[in-house]
Amino acid sequence: MPSIIVIGAGVIGASVAYRLAQAGLAQGGASVTVLEATRIGAGTSGTSFAWVNSHGKTPRAYHELNVAGMKAHAALRQEFAATPWLHLNGSLEWADAAGREEQRQRFDRLRDWGYAAEWISTVQLRELVPDIDPAAVGDAPVAWFPEEGWVDPVVYAQAMLAAARRLGAQVEIGARVARVELRSGRVTGVSLADGRILGADLVVNCTGRWADDFDPALRIPLAPTAGLLAFTPPVGVGLERLLKAPGCDIRPDGAGRLLVCRNDDEFDPATAPRPSADVPEMRELIRKARAILPGMGPVEPEAVRLGIRALPKDGFSAVGPLPQVEGYYAAVTHSGVTLAAFLGGAVADEVLRGAVRPELATFRPGRFFG
């Protein structure tokens, strides 16, 4: 019976743990242990806009990978009695004059690729978002993507880990991995910050933007970016869809709150503005949202976050074994929320069933190691 350690309890680590435990049970048993340094969803998962989509993902292989992620999320409705984390209620997009040609080209490409997308009228917009101010949209063409939506990432991760536990997986919170143990080019386990050494036949690194913190032989080059997110207090706005508007994106965040993020920011994490409700950029973000949904009233940000995105250096996912080390598998991607449900099954297929998933062929970590 192989012993497997999954490092990280964000959306990807939780998905991988669940599917490994499920596959291991079906194949006669595999020991699965999840190690999380702080708390479930403490990293990028907990500071994500969490948009489930393949809206602007190129090239075609990356688009198809994200579509597979969307389908895997939807399929969970058939597997779980309830999916309170999943909100595939569609998204709406319009652009200012400068961005409309780019929007049209992206829309045409998506339609050509078989993606669910349509232009809708002002009447249809008001039916989908009754509290919107039509003046904020003006004469801009509005695109509707009915299969998109968002996930509550921490709720999702907790549900996947709970399911993994029911199948026999162990989850340790507060277990910080200090080092991956190697011997003669093979993984033998991990050393924890508290001095313990845990043996394992395989280690799966799902730490996202911390994926390059271990032995130099295991480092996938990363180029993370940062984005600003603002959370409103509970407001009397009946929003059920995700909105992509010029200068801001808006979605519900539970209990009447809205989550607003800038859709034009690509900060360097080292120089990004420190998140604070008093930062002018954050107040401007809420002002833009209020212009679209005036029913919000004169609110200020209740909380703000700086979300640091896990992004491999070339901008694409890195999922698979590292060619120079036996027994080590990495899963690092900017599209973590969209891909999580798919990657859980794909990683389990490759790790325990010996399959080679063709969807991952162009996204292997080996491309960074010559």
Side-chain angles (χ1 to χ4, degrees), residues 102 107 138 263 273 283 288 306 357 361:
E102 179 185 353
F107 181 94
N263 53 24
R283 294 192 174 194
K288 289 180 178 180
L306 182 68
R357 295 296 296 258

Side-chain angles (χ1 to χ4, degrees), residues 81-143:
T83 54
W85 61 82
L86 186 62
H87 313 276
L88 298 182
N89 301 330
S91 71
L92 294 144
E93 179 194 43
W94 65 96
D96 57 21
R100 289 178 194 174
E101 178 58 23
E102 179 185 353
Q103 179 195 23
R104 186 194 62 77
Q105 291 178 5
R106 181 172 61 250
F107 181 94
D108 290 346
R109 181 181 68 244
L110 289 170
R111 287 289 296 269
D112 287 345
W113 288 352
Y115 197 73
E118 59 183 284
W119 297 111
I120 63 171
S121 67
T122 302
V123 171
Q124 291 171 302
L125 173 63
R126 290 298 301 272
E127 290 173 349
L128 292 168
V129 190
D131 289 339
I132 199 167
D133 182 358
V137 181
D139 62 354
V142 177

Side-chain angles (χ1 to χ4, degrees), residues 14-370:
S15 301
V16 167
Y18 169 50
R19 293 304 186 189
L20 283 173
Q22 190 178 52
L25 187 65
Q27 294 189 358
S31 169
V32 179
T33 300
V34 182
L35 303 176
E36 167 55 46
T38 54
R39 58 181 172 82
I40 295 171
T44 302
S45 295
T47 56
S48 170
F49 192 63
W51 179 24
V52 175
N53 76 100
S54 190
H55 190 88
K57 311 290 177 69
T58 56
R60 183 70 181 267
Y62 192 48
H63 167 80
E64 296 295 350
L65 183 63
N66 280 268
V67 168
M70 296 169 65
K71 291 179 178 178
H73 275 296
L76 290 175
R77 290 169 170 161
Q78 309 303 317
E79 189 171 348
F80 286 80
T83 54
W85 61 82
L86 186 62
H87 313 276
L88 298 182
N89 301 330
S91 71
L92 294 144
E93 179 194 43
W94 65 96
D96 57 21
R100 289 178 194 174
E101 178 58 23
E102 179 185 353
Q103 179 195 23
R104 186 194 62 77
Q105 291 178 5
R106 181 172 61 250
F107 181 94
D108 290 346
R109 181 181 68 244
L110 289 170
R111 287 289 296 269
D112 287 345
W113 288 352
Y115 197 73
E118 59 183 284
W119 297 111
I120 63 171
S121 67
T122 302
V123 171
Q124 291 171 302
L125 173 63
R126 290 298 301 272
E127 290 173 349
L128 292 168
V129 190
D131 289 339
I132 199 167
D133 182 358
V137 181
D139 62 354
V142 177
W144 165 237
F145 303 94
E147 296 178 356
E148 296 182 353
W150 75 96
V151 162
D152 296 315
V154 178
V155 179
Y156 170 84
Q158 188 279 329
M160 294 302 108
L161 290 173
R165 282 191 180 106
R166 290 193 292 271
L167 296 171
Q170 302 296 311
V171 180
E172 287 197 41
I173 306 299
R176 184 179 297 276
V177 175
R179 183 173 63 255
V180 176
E181 295 292 330
L182 301 173
R183 182 181 303 150
S184 302
R186 177 173 179 79
V187 167
T188 60
V190 300
S191 293
L192 302 183
D194 62 13
R196 288 183 292 157
I197 297 178
L198 304 182
D201 299 303
L202 181 77
V203 170
V204 183
N205 188 336
C206 300
T207 58
R209 62 188 174 93
W210 294 276
D212 61 351
D213 280 359
F214 301 121
D215 188 287
L218 308 177
R219 289 179 185 165
I220 295 171
L222 303 180
T225 61
L228 296 174
L229 302 100
F231 299 80
T232 72
V235 294
V237 173
L239 182 65
E240 297 180 357
R241 326 288 176 192
L242 186 150
L243 305 181
K244 292 191 61 61
C248 72
D249 297 339
I250 312 168
R251 70 162 174 83
D253 196 52
R257 290 177 171 82
L258 301 178
L259 173 55
V260 188
C261 82
R262 280 177 49 165
N263 53 24
D264 58 353
D265 58 354
E266 286 291 325
F267 296 113
D268 181 333
T271 59
R274 184 173 180 174
S276 166
D278 294 326
V279 171
E281 291 95 333
M282 307 308 288
R283 294 192 174 194
E284 175 63 12
L285 200 53
I286 296 298
R287 188 199 66 76
K288 289 180 178 180
R290 286 173 54 196
I292 297 166
L293 300 167
M296 289 171 56
V299 297
E300 298 291 344
E302 183 176 75
V304 298
R305 300 284 186 274
L306 182 68
I308 301 180
R309 310 177 182 105
L311 191 65
K313 190 173 182 179
D314 63 2
F316 296 107
S317 305
V319 183
L322 267 65
Q324 72 276 29
V325 178
E326 189 176 352
Y328 185 82
Y329 195 106
V332 189
T333 178
H334 168 40
S335 303
V337 171
T338 297
L339 295 179
F342 169 79
L343 288 180
V347 173
D349 279 350
E350 297 202 329
V351 167
L352 284 180
R353 299 187 179 103
V356 178
R357 295 296 296 258
E359 303 96 329
L360 300 174
T362 58
F363 304 106
R364 298 303 190 181
R367 68 184 186 272
F368 296 112
F369 300 95

